[in-house]
Amino acid sequence: TVQLQESGGGSVRTGGSLRLSCSISRFYGTSATTCSRDMDWHRQAPGKERQFVASYDRFGRAQVSPDLKGRFSISQDSAKRTIDLQMNALSPDDTARYYCRVVWFDGCVPWPDTWGQGIEVTVSA
């Protein structure tokens, strides 16, 4: 099976920063280590739909939601196993559960994507 390890969440005051990290800690067979994959972050606030935050696609291109550009940034390690989400100037509107997702290509994993369990981010006024 595939396992994602998320870390870095917690509670901060308005204006603070947090850095979330997501690593693929277990792959589906050794061949999956070279699987083409997108890695991204989504978030879901209480009572709201899950929304896209940022991604690194299989071609190495980074994308951040236009609503979050300037405050959030994403980076990826050279092995493409870890993505980090840097969040600055946080506000209570950023309070949500943040989820990491990996989208698999080339059919090397028998399912289209893998989601992490999510990590809580709470921003107080």
Side-chain angles (χ1 to χ4, degrees), residues 46-111:
K48 295 187 178 180
E49 293 187 355
R50 193 169 296 187
Q51 66 172 150
F52 168 80
V53 175
S55 69
Y56 238 99
D57 72 13
R58 59 200 181 279
F59 305 113
R61 297 175 300 200
Q63 183 180 1
V64 178
S65 170
D67 293 343
L68 303 174
K69 269 184 182 177
R71 298 193 299 120
F72 286 25
S73 62
I74 189 168
S75 60
Q76 187 177 50
D77 71 328
S78 58
K80 299 184 180 180
R81 291 191 180 193
T82 300
I83 52 169
D84 289 340
L85 181 68
Q86 179 66 42
M87 306 185 293
N88 299 324
L90 287 163
S91 76
D93 289 341
D94 297 312
T95 294
R97 190 167 185 86
Y98 285 69
Y99 295 89
C100 178
R101 180 184 70 158
V102 178
V103 181
W104 304 99
F105 296 89
D106 304 330
C108 51
V109 174
W111 48 84

